C-alpha cells in the first residue's frame, strides 16, 4: 500500500477533487487484500454493529461497522490517506468562507471527535446480493465530520456481480440534479465528497450538495469497504 501511495499523482487527485468532487486510484488494494477483507465479513468479533438496510429503508443489503482496534491495513489506510485529503478539505472550506480548518494529521481529527463524544469507529464493510441497493445518503455521524471519504471495491463488476454501480448525485442550487454513475474495478479506491463541495461561478464560489448510493445489483454479490475519517456518536 505504501508503494501505491508514493506512486499516486496527488496533484492530479487534487485537481480531480476540486473539479469533480471525486477521483479514483486504480489497484489501490491487491487481489489478495480484497479477498482477505471479504473473508473477514463472517468474523463477528471484528465488528461493533450490523445494520440490515431494509429495516431502516436505507436500501437492501447489509453492512457492518468495524470495532476498534481496526485491522492493521484499515488503520494504515485511514492514517496515511487523511493527510493527503486534509489540504483539499481546507481549500474547500476557505472557498466557501466556512470558518473551520481541519488538522493535517488524522489523530488530531479523532481527538476533536472524542471531545464531542464521537468515539465509535465508522469504517464499514458492505454486502449486497441480488436486488441489493443503497439509497442516496451522506455519512456524517455527528457535528464533527470530515467532508471527504473513500470506498474500496473488493470484487470485480461483470464477473462477481452485475449492476451495483456507484452513484453520485450533484444537487446544484436552482438547477436540476446531476447523476454521476461509476463502476470501479476490484481493488480500486474511489475518493469522493461526503456532503458538499465548492463550485466556482460568475460571482465566486457556491456550495453544491452531494449524495451517494448504489444502484440495484442484478446478479452475484458485491462487497465494498467504506472509510469515513471521523468517528460516530453511536
Amino acid at each position: 500500500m505504501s508503494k501505491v501511495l508514493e506512486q499516486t499523482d496527488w496533484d492530479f487527485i487534487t485537481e480531480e477533487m476540486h473539479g469533480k468532487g471525486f477521483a479514483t486510484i486504480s489497484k489501490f488494494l491487491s487481489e489478495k487484500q480484497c479477498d482477505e477483507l471479504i473473508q473477514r465479513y463472517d468474523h463477528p468479533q471484528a465488528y461493533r454493529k450490523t445494520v440490515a438496510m431494509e429495516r431502516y429503508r436505507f436500501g437492501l443489503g447489509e453492512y457492518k461497522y468495524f470495532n476498534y482496534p481496526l485491522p492493521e491495513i484499515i488503520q494504515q489506510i485511514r492514517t496515511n490517506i487523511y493527510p493527503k485529503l486534509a489540504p483539499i478539505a481546507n481549500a474547500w472550506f476557505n472557498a466557501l468562507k466556512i470558518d473551520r480548518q481541519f488538522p493535517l494529521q488524522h489523530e488530531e481529527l479523532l481527538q476533536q471527535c472524542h471531545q464531542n463524544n464521537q468515539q465509535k469507529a465508522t469504517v464499514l464493510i458492505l454486502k449486497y446480493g441480488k436486488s441489493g441497493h443503497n439509497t442516496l445518503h451522506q455519512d456524517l455521524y455527528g457535528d464533527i465530520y470530515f467532508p471527504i471519504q473513500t470506498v474500496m471495491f473488493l470484487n470485480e463488476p461483470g464477473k462477481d456481480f452485475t449492476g451495483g454501480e456507484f452513484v453520485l448525485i450533484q444537487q446544484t442550487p436552482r438547477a436540476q440534479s446531476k447523476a454521476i454513475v461509476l463502476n470501479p474495478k476490484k481493488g480500486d479506491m474511489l475518493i469522493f465528497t461526503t456532503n458538499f463541495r465548492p463550485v466556482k461561478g460568475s460571482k465566486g464560489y457556491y456550495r453544491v450538495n452531494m449524495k451517494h448510493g448504489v444502484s440495484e445489483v442484478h446478479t452475484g454479490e458485491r462487497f465494498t469497504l467504506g472509510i469515513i475519517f471521523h468517528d460516530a456518536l453511536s
Side-chain angles (χ1 to χ4, degrees):
M1 184 189 70
S2 58
K3 186 176 180 181
V4 177
L5 281 173
E6 291 171 6
Q7 294 175 345
T8 297
D9 184 346
W10 287 101
D11 289 337
F12 175 76
I13 296 294
T14 299
E15 289 177 11
E16 290 281 280
M17 292 299 294
H18 287 327
K20 300 190 295 186
F22 65 91
T24 303
I25 301 177
S26 299
K27 298 181 180 178
F28 183 83
L29 295 178
S30 68
E31 286 207 20
K32 181 181 178 182
Q33 288 170 326
C34 291
D35 295 342
E36 287 176 348
L37 285 165
I38 291 175
Q39 289 166 9
R40 289 177 185 266
Y41 193 82
D42 293 321
H43 295 178
Q45 67 276 11
Y47 307 101
R48 67 174 181 86
K49 185 178 182 180
T50 299
V51 176
M53 296 184 201
E54 188 175 16
R55 179 181 177 186
Y56 301 96
R57 296 186 178 181
F58 293 164
L60 181 62
E62 182 181 79
Y63 57 87
K64 299 181 180 183
Y65 288 106
F66 282 87
N67 224 336
Y68 281 128
L70 298 173
E72 183 179 356
I73 184 172
I74 295 175
Q75 181 64 36
Q76 288 180 359
I77 293 170
R78 217 175 178 218
T79 300
N80 293 323
I81 290 288
Y82 174 86
K84 307 292 187 182
L85 303 180
I88 300 172
N90 286 334
W92 286 2
F93 275 48
N94 278 332
L96 293 171
K97 296 181 171 57
I98 300 174
D99 186 20
R100 183 175 179 199
Q101 290 289 282
F102 295 94
L104 298 181
Q105 299 302 317
H106 187 237
E107 183 59 34
E108 294 178 39
L109 176 69
L110 293 183
Q111 289 173 6
Q112 293 179 6
C113 289
H114 296 171
Q115 289 168 3
N116 195 52
N117 204 32
Q118 294 175 218
Q119 300 181 9
K120 304 288 188 180
T122 49
V123 178
L124 69 164
I125 188 168
L126 304 97
K127 176 183 178 181
Y128 304 88
K130 179 177 169 56
S131 300
H133 62 280
N134 197 346
T135 56
L136 296 170
H137 65 283
Q138 298 173 327
D139 298 306
L140 297 178
Y141 298 107
D143 292 336
I144 305 299
Y145 66 88
F146 187 66
I148 301 171
Q149 64 194 81
T150 74
V151 60
M152 271 141 286
F153 296 79
L154 303 182
N155 46 11
E156 189 66 34
K159 177 183 176 183
D160 299 317
F161 65 93
T162 59
E165 294 87 0
F166 188 89
V167 180
L168 281 165
I169 296 294
Q170 178 174 296
Q171 300 172 308
T172 303
R174 298 178 298 280
Q176 298 292 334
S177 297
K178 175 183 177 182
I180 301 160
V181 180
L182 305 170
N183 204 20
K185 303 298 185 183
K186 182 176 182 177
D188 290 356
M189 172 190 279
L190 177 66
I191 305 169
F192 61 100
T193 176
T194 298
N195 58 339
F196 62 80
R197 70 182 183 92
V199 172
K200 192 169 185 179
S202 59
K203 298 180 180 179
Y205 287 93
Y206 61 92
R207 173 172 168 161
V208 167
N209 288 325
M210 303 283 285
K211 292 185 176 182
H212 63 277
V214 176
S215 71
E216 185 175 338
V217 174
H218 302 310
T219 61
E221 288 186 332
R222 178 189 188 273
F223 287 88
T224 53
L225 176 74
I227 293 188
I228 296 100
F229 294 97
H230 46 273
D231 281 354
L233 285 167
S234 62

